[in-house]
């Protein structure tokens, strides 16, 4: 069951949209985030209270008590902190070093400069408002330059690649008692280990929110065409006025 | 508004449902993967990578952060064993540890036994540090005791020693609780055998009469009720060979620096 947009591509042009480095990182990162979220919830179940500052335990003031995360969301399904940490800390390495790979590759192949660079004109003359209305109308591409990312796309990808994922990695390292000795500035940056732990959780919630919107937009923009472009790199330009 | 056909909507709904179902299957797939011996070895190699990366980027003598007295936790909870509860330990508490002896042995030139007054006469270090439980909570306390390095020097640790084994008074399944650390952490200036906490003699809940403080690792490495210290060449042959009680029992990481 293919959506109509992809079922009859007709003579619409197919363009090479995503380079191999982007595609490789995208899927490796998707798996890593999936494992990190699931195992992270198991770790959170071990002490589901979040604090600000340099310390925080049962008698201290928690700003958030998270619910008990059910077994169908956690890795492993049955509570096992040791195994959850194995998943989490092994995939954290994949997560962090694949981001490093993406940044180097995207600077070399100019993906960042070409596709993600935000320019002053992106914020002028009601461009954001226009883009917002276009999103509501489920029109995601500029007919004049369909391959270009829209402003919201650029903003959200930049937020994930340059803010949320680095924040996850750095707050994660700030929670390591070993790294605290080596890089004490990380603790100062985040206001202490328990603050870092809270920010780690908030940034993870941000990644969950991004993933939900991202998947929803993939479905609305034509999932076959979009997913295929992330596998083969080839993307069929949707007809004007259609999604 | 763009027109969307009912069929497209239904197929997209099915796709979203399918994605959720796939997610569920992938999650349970993770558990099956973790039971596969080859995959388990790959998964567990993350610990060794993290260990070597940290040893690479963190100076062997880099200090764990120390805190001001006003940053100390108002209450420092006990965790794990709150009282070994054995007749032997009960007797030691009743005698106020008068007959307690710390044995230092293994790969040393002079196997040594120290009474509590002897241990307390060794120059001590005081440090206000953060204790990070593997579960996620943290507490800041003040610890006081001689460095492990000074004790190892006292007994003359041999160069072939690679790890230090701590054998404790609390029993699990009839066997003493144990823990090990490598020489880098053993000789670290903040690694101490604490006999006082928060300006008082260490209480039973926190590991009386002495506990290990190995400040660059998680809480479960800080063995309480230490009875014997042994310099050893390897971890094999001790317990199940994974380096500690929790490591043997439920696969906790031996290197708990992250």
């Amino acid at each position: 069951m293919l959506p109509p947009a992809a079922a009859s591509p007709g003579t619409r042009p197919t363009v090479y949209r995503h380079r191999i480095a982007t595609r490789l990182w995208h899927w490796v990162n998707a798996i890593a985030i999936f494992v990190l979220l699931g195992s992270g919830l198991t770790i959170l179940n071990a002490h589901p209270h979040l604090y600000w500052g340099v310390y925080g335990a049962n008698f201290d003031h928690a700003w958030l008590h998270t619910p008990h995360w059910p077994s169908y969301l956690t890795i492993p399904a049955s509570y096992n902190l040791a195994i959850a940490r194995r998943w989490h800390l092994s995939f954290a390495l994949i997560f962090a070093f694949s981001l490093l790979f993406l940044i180097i590759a995207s600077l070399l192949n100019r993906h960042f400069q070409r596709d993600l660079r935000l320019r002053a004109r992106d914020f002028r003359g009601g461009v954001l408002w226009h883009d917002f209305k276009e999103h509501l109308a489920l029109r995601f591409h500029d007919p004049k330059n369909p391959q270009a990312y829209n402003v919201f796309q650029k903003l959200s990808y930049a937020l994930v690649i340059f803010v949320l994922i680095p924040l996850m990695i750095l707050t994660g390292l700030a929670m390591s008692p070993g790294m605290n000795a080596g890089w004490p500035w990380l603790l100062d940056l985040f206001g202490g280990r328990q603050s870092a732990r809270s920010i780690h959780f908030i940034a993870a919630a941000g990644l969950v929110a991004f993933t939900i919107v991202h998947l929803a937009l993939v479905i609305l923009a034509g999932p076959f065409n979009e997913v295929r472009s992330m596998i083969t790199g080839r993307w069929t330009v949707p007809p004007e006025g259609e999604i | 508004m763009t027109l969307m056909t009912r069929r497209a909507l239904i197929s997209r709904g099915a796709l979203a449902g399918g994605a959720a179902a796939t997610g569920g299957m992938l999650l349970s797939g993770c558990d099956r993967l973790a039971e596969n011996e080859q995959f388990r070895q790959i998964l567990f190699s993350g610990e060794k990578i993290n260990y070597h990366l940290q040893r690479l980027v963190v100076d062997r003598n880099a200090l764990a952060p120390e805190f001001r007295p006003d940053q100390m936790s108002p209450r420092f909870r006990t965790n794990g064993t709150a009282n070994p509860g054995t007749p032997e330990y009960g007797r030691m508490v009743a005698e106020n540890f008068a007959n307690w002896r710390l044995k230092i042995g293994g790969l040393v030139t002079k196997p040594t036994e120290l009474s509590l007054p002897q241990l307390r006469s060794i120059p001590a270090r005081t440090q206000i540090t953060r204790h990070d439980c593997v579960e996620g909570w943290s507490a800041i306390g003040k610890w006081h005791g001689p460095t492990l390095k000074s004790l190892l020097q006292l007994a003359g640790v041999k160069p072939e020693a690679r790890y230090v084994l701590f054998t404790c008074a609390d029993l699990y399944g009839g066997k003493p609780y144990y823990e090990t650390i490598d020489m880098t952490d053993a000789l670290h200036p903040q690694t101490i055998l604490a006999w006082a906490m928060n300006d008082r003699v260490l209480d039973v809940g926190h590991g009386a009469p002495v506990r290990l403080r190995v400040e660059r690792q998680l809480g479960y490495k800080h063995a309480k009720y230490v009875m014997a210290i042994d310099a050893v060449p390897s971890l094999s042959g001790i317990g199940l060979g994974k380096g500690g009680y929790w490591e043997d029992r439920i696969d906790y990481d031996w290197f708990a620096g992250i």
Side-chain angles (χ1 to χ4, degrees), chain A residues 27-231:
Chain A
W27 294 112
V28 169
N29 191 58
I31 294 166
I33 286 186
F34 179 84
V35 169
L36 287 167
L37 286 173
S39 55
L41 289 181
T42 306
I43 297 171
L44 190 56
N45 271 344
H47 189 79
H49 316 287
L50 294 169
Y51 315 85
W52 293 114
V54 291
Y55 65 81
N58 305 50
F59 323 108
D60 303 312
H61 173 72
W63 67 274
L64 183 68
H65 302 279
T66 71
H68 179 82
W69 303 97
S71 62
Y72 57 82
L73 290 179
T74 63
I75 297 174
S78 57
Y79 175 75
N80 186 325
L81 179 58
I83 299 299
R85 280 175 50 82
R86 299 283 188 172
W87 280 105
H88 205 75
L89 297 172
S90 293
F91 276 75
L93 288 168
I94 296 170
F95 183 65
F97 284 102
S98 67
L99 181 74
L100 186 66
F101 160 78
L102 174 80
I103 289 175
I104 293 169
S106 300
L107 288 172
L108 291 178
N109 70 23
R110 302 186 58 78
H111 168 51
F112 285 163
Q113 297 97 312
R114 203 180 345 234
D115 303 317
L116 293 185
R117 193 163 91 199
L118 284 151
R119 295 173 171 86
R121 66 165 184 266
D122 290 335
F123 300 96
R124 274 202 297 261
V127 170
L128 280 178
W129 178 240
H130 174 260
D131 207 36
F132 180 67
K133 284 190 295 188
E134 290 289 286
H135 268 80
L136 287 184
L138 306 181
R139 284 192 296 264
F140 306 116
H141 307 287
D142 179 356
K144 291 191 287 292
N145 185 9
Q147 198 168 355
Y149 288 43
N150 64 55
V151 185
F152 281 132
Q153 256 177 317
K154 286 198 230 176
L155 274 173
S156 56
Y157 291 154
L159 181 76
V160 167
I161 294 169
F162 301 114
V163 180
L164 286 181
I165 296 179
L167 209 51
M168 294 304 309
I169 296 166
L170 293 177
T171 51
L173 287 175
M175 279 188 271
S176 150
M179 290 308 297
N180 289 167
W183 298 354
W185 52 269
L186 261 186
L187 271 183
D188 300 334
L189 185 67
F190 296 115
R193 183 181 197 257
Q194 290 298 326
S195 292
R197 188 167 164 263
S198 290
I199 297 166
H200 198 72
F201 174 81
I202 293 166
L207 281 180
V208 170
F210 168 82
T211 305
I212 290 169
V213 173
H214 182 68
L215 291 178
L217 288 174
V218 166
I219 291 167
L220 290 170
F224 179 80
N225 191 21
E226 296 293 328
V227 172
R228 185 188 55 185
S229 76
M230 252 312 155
I231 296 170

Side-chain angles (χ1 to χ4, degrees), chain B residues 171-193:
Chain B
L171 304 181
Y172 281 80
K175 289 189 180 137
Y177 183 90
Y178 82 98
E179 191 55 80
T180 57
I181 58 175
D182 70 0
M183 270 299 162
T184 300
D185 271 325
L187 301 176
H188 186 260
Q190 283 170 322
T191 300
I192 64 173
L193 269 209

Side-chain angles (χ1 to χ4, degrees), chain B residues 24-96:
Chain B
M25 271 162 53
L26 287 173
L27 273 167
S28 58
C30 287
D31 285 4
R32 244 165 289 142
L33 259 181
E35 284 160 20
N36 174 287
E37 196 44 52
Q38 277 93 30
F39 183 82
R40 207 174 162 87
Q41 278 181 13
I42 297 169
L43 190 63
F44 280 31
S45 64
E47 180 205 357
K48 289 179 192 77
I49 298 170
N50 277 312
Y51 171 68
H52 291 296
L53 278 176
Q54 260 192 38
R55 287 286 182 257
L56 196 70
V57 300
V58 179
D59 184 84
R60 61 185 296 142
N61 284 322
L63 296 180
E66 297 194 16
F67 297 85
R68 300 187 308 267
D70 63 285
Q71 292 175 305
M72 284 166 61
S73 295
R75 282 176 76 182
F76 196 120
R77 63 174 284 193
T78 57
N79 204 36
T81 306
N83 189 331
T86 62
E88 290 80 2
Y89 186 78
R91 200 183 61 239
M92 287 193 281
V93 173
E95 294 167 350
N96 210 9

